[in-house]
Amino acid sequence: MQTTIGKIFWTGLISALLVLTAFTLEGAAARAVKKKKKDKLANIYIQQGKQTINLAPGELTFRTALVLGTNAQTGRYGTAREPSLKVATHQLEIMLFDPESAGEKVYLTRLGYVETNPAHNFDLNSTKLDPEFFQKAYKMDYNAAIPINLWCFEEDIPLQMTPVPKKPGWFRLVPMGQLPPGNYSITTVSLHGPRYYTGEHPFYPFNLAAAAAPPPEAK
């Protein structure tokens, strides 16, 4: 039979554990929110002369190729839809409010459509498996064609970054070189090529289109 002191002890211990659990869950939630907030681009747009082009987030997809254990997956990030936002190729300036990282975590990437990739491209271990052990480990052929069917991140574009005068926290990012027409995106992490799944990320796709030729002069 428990004594009164014993009951008080166990009641106090259970209460303390409940409080500790609540603080732990609250702390984890706060860290998750904080991490998500850092990974978000709240104020970003493209400026071309006097024209302001607002960027809309796109739908980012991860196509899994290999499963490594219970939590690790390798594959490719991309989007199933070709970007609908059209932007002219001239005078491309990305305007960004980012006082925390000063634009250092922003990537401009060229997108390319990928139908398939060979399975061994997704073996990201430091020591690559040979074809025989690859098949035993992943239960598929070394050169098996993995369906991707996404507009994938192909190449990160170097950017020149400068602070915007008289606008604290704002930065201007300009490609270091003329970009050819095509599909591009802005993200907060580099996502090109085969890689591990690292969760969801902000993704702003757009299409760079060459300016239309002027109409012929009337004779």
Side-chain angles (χ1 to χ4, degrees), residues 139-157:
K139 310 302 180 186
M140 68 174 63
D141 186 74
Y142 185 80
N143 291 312
I146 303 295
I148 304 298
N149 298 318
L150 295 174
W151 287 91
C152 294
F153 300 83
E154 292 289 325
E155 178 187 5
D156 292 336
I157 308 299

Side-chain angles (χ1 to χ4, degrees), residues 89-110:
T89 55
H90 67 284
Q91 297 179 333
L92 180 65
E93 295 182 341
I94 301 169
M95 309 300 292
L96 170 71
F97 180 72
D98 184 19
E100 293 186 2
S101 67
E104 293 183 357
K105 296 182 179 179
V106 174
Y107 293 83
L108 173 64
T109 310
R110 181 177 60 83

Side-chain angles (χ1 to χ4, degrees), residues 89 91-92 108 157-160 174-180 184 208:
T89 55
Q91 297 179 333
L92 180 65
L108 173 64
I157 308 299
L159 295 170
Q160 182 180 13
V174 179
M176 298 176 66
Q178 183 67 31
L179 298 180
Y184 295 83
L208 276 183

Side-chain angles (χ1 to χ4, degrees), residues 58-59 61 78-84 111 113 149-151 183 203 205:
E59 296 182 4
T61 298
T79 179
R81 298 180 180 180
E82 190 169 4
S84 58
L111 301 177
Y113 192 78
N149 298 318
L150 295 174
W151 287 91
N183 294 321
F203 165 62

Side-chain angles (χ1 to χ4, degrees), residues 23-38:
F23 274 108
T24 302
L25 293 174
E26 183 179 0
R31 286 192 296 272
V33 170
K34 186 176 181 181
K35 182 178 181 182
K36 184 176 181 181
K37 185 176 180 181
K38 282 186 176 181

Side-chain angles (χ1 to χ4, degrees), residues 94-96 102 159-165 170-174:
I94 301 169
M95 309 300 292
L96 170 71
L159 295 170
Q160 182 180 13
M161 179 180 58
T162 56
V164 178
W170 281 90
F171 296 86
R172 178 185 290 107
L173 289 77
V174 179

Side-chain angles (χ1 to χ4, degrees), residues 4-215:
T4 302
I5 296 177
K7 290 181 179 179
I8 294 174
F9 171 78
W10 285 109
T11 301
L13 179 60
I14 293 172
S15 299
L17 289 174
L18 290 174
V19 171
L20 179 61
T21 301
F23 274 108
T24 302
L25 293 174
E26 183 179 0
R31 286 192 296 272
V33 170
K34 186 176 181 181
K35 182 178 181 182
K36 184 176 181 181
K37 185 176 180 181
K38 282 186 176 181
D39 202 29
K40 183 179 179 181
L41 297 176
N43 295 296
I44 183 170
Y45 61 90
I46 289 177
Q47 189 73 39
Q48 292 192 309
K50 295 182 179 180
Q51 183 183 12
T52 297
I53 303 172
N54 294 316
L55 294 171
E59 296 182 4
L60 188 63
T61 298
F62 184 81
R63 194 77 78 212
T64 300
L66 300 179
V67 178
L68 315 175
T70 55
N71 296 320
Q73 304 173 37
T74 62
R76 294 200 70 164
Y77 279 99
T79 179
R81 298 180 180 180
E82 190 169 4
S84 58
L85 178 63
K86 303 293 183 182
V87 179
T89 55
H90 67 284
Q91 297 179 333
L92 180 65
E93 295 182 341
I94 301 169
M95 309 300 292
L96 170 71
F97 180 72
D98 184 19
E100 293 186 2
S101 67
E104 293 183 357
K105 296 182 179 179
V106 174
Y107 293 83
L108 173 64
T109 310
R110 181 177 60 83
L111 301 177
Y113 192 78
V114 177
E115 293 184 356
T116 64
N117 274 155
H120 66 263
N121 280 11
F122 299 95
D123 179 12
L124 303 182
N125 295 308
S126 55
T127 303
K128 306 298 182 183
L129 298 178
D130 62 25
E132 180 181 354
F133 283 100
F134 184 94
Q135 187 166 12
K136 290 180 179 179
Y138 299 115
K139 310 302 180 186
M140 68 174 63
D141 186 74
Y142 185 80
N143 291 312
I146 303 295
I148 304 298
N149 298 318
L150 295 174
W151 287 91
C152 294
F153 300 83
E154 292 289 325
E155 178 187 5
D156 292 336
I157 308 299
L159 295 170
Q160 182 180 13
M161 179 180 58
T162 56
V164 178
K166 299 181 181 180
K167 295 185 69 174
W170 281 90
F171 296 86
R172 178 185 290 107
L173 289 77
V174 179
M176 298 176 66
Q178 183 67 31
L179 298 180
N183 294 321
Y184 295 83
S185 75
I186 297 171
T187 58
T188 56
V189 292
S190 178
L191 296 173
H192 72 276
R195 60 184 47 251
Y196 287 100
Y197 175 70
T198 54
E200 298 180 0
H201 302 281
F203 165 62
Y204 299 85
F206 60 93
N207 174 267
L208 276 183

